[in-house]
Amino acid sequence: MLAALFVILGFLLLAESRLDSLKTVEEYMNICLDGNNHKSAPGPMDAKAMEKFCTPWSQRSCCTEQVAQDMHIHPQWLNFNWDHCRQLSPPCREQFLMDLCFYECSPNVGPWLIKDERKIRKERFQNVPLCQSVCTNWWQACKNDFTCLDNWAVSFNWSTGINTCPEGKQCKPFHQIFKDSNHFCENLMGNSFKVVSDTEDCFLLWFDADKPNPNERVARKKASEILGLPFSDSLMDGSGSESCYLASFNVLLFGLVNLVFKYVSF
């Protein structure tokens, strides 16, 4: 009887996602997508080794320098061929490289992670709020390029080990496959993104590496919302983290404790 209980408990533990155990904002902020190339937790990288489109993530990254470099070199990352119809135009390819660096390197998708068992990963992000301006730029760069599907996440033929167009699916310009920019950004990767106004909390796919990560605040606010905790911009410092606030609080607390021991006798 006891053995049977242990077996049942074991199955329950295996069935429970690690995402179910996230209980604090910091846990949401220090988790990387569970994928083949991702680190277990974000950390600093050498900006000079991160390559052009991955440099924004050098201060806190879920990818290694080697992964960042390889993404810029290999034309078929994870055996996925962007040129399944025709070779992508250079501006469009740059946008997809930004998206790929975001997928592999961003440390801010914790609040949007869900289980997704595949050969290349065990999790994915879903409905990450993408700034409208970012989506518009991506669309403008790619709308005249060619594809055969409106959902690259599930619909390709993988029988050769590389994605190819399913039988009967014709290659057409993106603007004939997708209704508009929002349909493109939201549907292309299977609802990985949800396009929102730039005036709302939203993510960028690329930003100046020398400046604070603007996505950090959005992720912290979402994590606080999930946990039912209050969020205030006063908790954030110029680096986009709570570190300075917490450090100041710890110094104040230490001082108060010293005062108590100095003036109160037990």
Side-chain angles (χ1 to χ4, degrees), residues 98-114:
M98 290 182 199
D99 170 63
L100 187 57
C101 284
F102 178 90
Y103 169 77
E104 294 284 6
C105 304
S106 174
N108 304 125
V109 297
W112 293 273
L113 290 178
I114 61 172

Side-chain angles (χ1 to χ4, degrees), residues 31 40 84 87 105 136 233 249:
I31 187 173
S40 58
H84 49 270
Q87 187 172 13
C105 304
T136 299
D233 285 323
F249 177 79

Side-chain angles (χ1 to χ4, degrees), residues 149-158 164-166:
L149 296 168
D150 68 349
N151 189 338
W152 289 8
V154 296
S155 302
F156 278 112
N157 180 350
W158 287 90
T164 58
C165 293

Side-chain angles (χ1 to χ4, degrees), residues 216-227:
E216 185 90 4
R217 176 191 175 278
V218 180
R220 285 186 177 275
K221 186 175 181 180
K222 181 63 175 179
S224 299
E225 178 185 314
I226 291 172
L227 297 170

Side-chain angles (χ1 to χ4, degrees), residues 199-264:
T199 59
E200 300 179 38
D201 294 322
C202 61
F203 272 36
L204 300 179
L205 295 185
W206 198 90
F207 51 89
D208 188 339
D210 295 326
K211 296 181 179 179
N213 177 354
N215 300 339
E216 185 90 4
R217 176 191 175 278
V218 180
R220 285 186 177 275
K221 186 175 181 180
K222 181 63 175 179
S224 299
E225 178 185 314
I226 291 172
L227 297 170
L229 299 174
F231 175 83
S232 171
D233 285 323
S234 63
L235 298 180
M236 305 290 293
D237 66 11
S239 66
S241 73
E242 296 172 351
S243 57
C244 288
Y245 169 83
L246 291 175
S248 299
F249 177 79
N250 287 335
V251 170
L252 178 61
L253 182 61
F254 182 76
L256 288 173
V257 170
N258 280 341
L259 285 174
V260 169
F261 276 99
K262 183 176 181 179
Y263 293 107
V264 178

Side-chain angles (χ1 to χ4, degrees), residues 5-265:
L5 288 174
F6 276 115
V7 171
I8 294 173
L9 179 60
F11 277 114
L12 289 174
L13 289 173
L14 287 174
E16 182 183 15
S17 167
R18 69 175 186 144
L19 303 176
D20 298 329
S21 64
L22 300 177
K23 303 300 182 185
T24 68
V25 171
E26 289 305 315
E27 287 177 348
Y28 274 104
M29 298 305 297
N30 286 288
I31 187 173
C32 293
L33 185 153
D34 189 356
N36 287 1
N37 299 306
H38 294 77
K39 299 190 296 184
S40 58
M45 294 288 115
D46 181 359
K48 295 181 180 179
M50 287 292 281
E51 293 295 333
K52 180 178 179 181
F53 296 108
C54 295
T55 53
W57 319 112
S58 58
Q59 294 184 24
R60 227 170 67 88
S61 175
C62 280
C63 68
T64 64
E65 292 96 336
Q66 188 63 55
V67 166
Q69 293 169 9
D70 289 347
M71 282 190 288
H72 286 71
I73 297 172
H74 297 299
Q76 295 177 359
W77 187 252
L78 299 175
N79 291 332
F80 192 91
N81 183 16
W82 290 336
D83 304 325
H84 49 270
C85 279
R86 300 183 186 180
Q87 187 172 13
L88 290 183
S89 63
C92 184
R93 183 173 296 276
E94 287 187 359
Q95 293 292 324
F96 275 103
L97 264 173
M98 290 182 199
D99 170 63
L100 187 57
C101 284
F102 178 90
Y103 169 77
E104 294 284 6
C105 304
S106 174
N108 304 125
V109 297
W112 293 273
L113 290 178
I114 61 172
K115 292 178 67 175
D116 185 51
E117 293 285 346
R118 301 192 183 203
K119 289 182 178 180
I120 62 171
R121 63 180 183 232
K122 296 181 180 178
E123 296 164 355
R124 57 167 294 198
F125 53 81
Q126 186 177 63
N127 292 327
V128 168
L130 183 68
C131 295
Q132 180 73 68
S133 59
V134 176
C135 175
T136 299
N137 290 338
W138 194 353
W139 172 247
Q140 290 297 325
C142 296
K143 65 180 182 180
N144 294 319
D145 285 84
F146 282 74
T147 186
C148 56
L149 296 168
D150 68 349
N151 189 338
W152 289 8
V154 296
S155 302
F156 278 112
N157 180 350
W158 287 90
S159 59
T160 63
I162 298 175
N163 62 303
T164 58
C165 293
E167 186 176 354
K169 290 291 185 179
Q170 296 182 341
C171 291
K172 299 178 182 179
F174 280 38
H175 64 79
Q176 292 183 19
I177 297 287
F178 301 96
K179 294 183 297 183
D180 52 30
S181 60
N182 284 20
H183 182 214
F184 164 70
C185 294
E186 294 179 350
N187 211 67
L188 182 71
M189 300 299 180
N191 298 314
S192 291
F193 296 110
K194 177 68 176 178
V195 181
V196 301
S197 169
D198 284 26
T199 59
E200 300 179 38
D201 294 322
C202 61
F203 272 36
L204 300 179
L205 295 185
W206 198 90
F207 51 89
D208 188 339
D210 295 326
K211 296 181 179 179
N213 177 354
N215 300 339
E216 185 90 4
R217 176 191 175 278
V218 180
R220 285 186 177 275
K221 186 175 181 180
K222 181 63 175 179
S224 299
E225 178 185 314
I226 291 172
L227 297 170
L229 299 174
F231 175 83
S232 171
D233 285 323
S234 63
L235 298 180
M236 305 290 293
D237 66 11
S239 66
S241 73
E242 296 172 351
S243 57
C244 288
Y245 169 83
L246 291 175
S248 299
F249 177 79
N250 287 335
V251 170
L252 178 61
L253 182 61
F254 182 76
L256 288 173
V257 170
N258 280 341
L259 285 174
V260 169
F261 276 99
K262 183 176 181 179
Y263 293 107
V264 178
S265 58

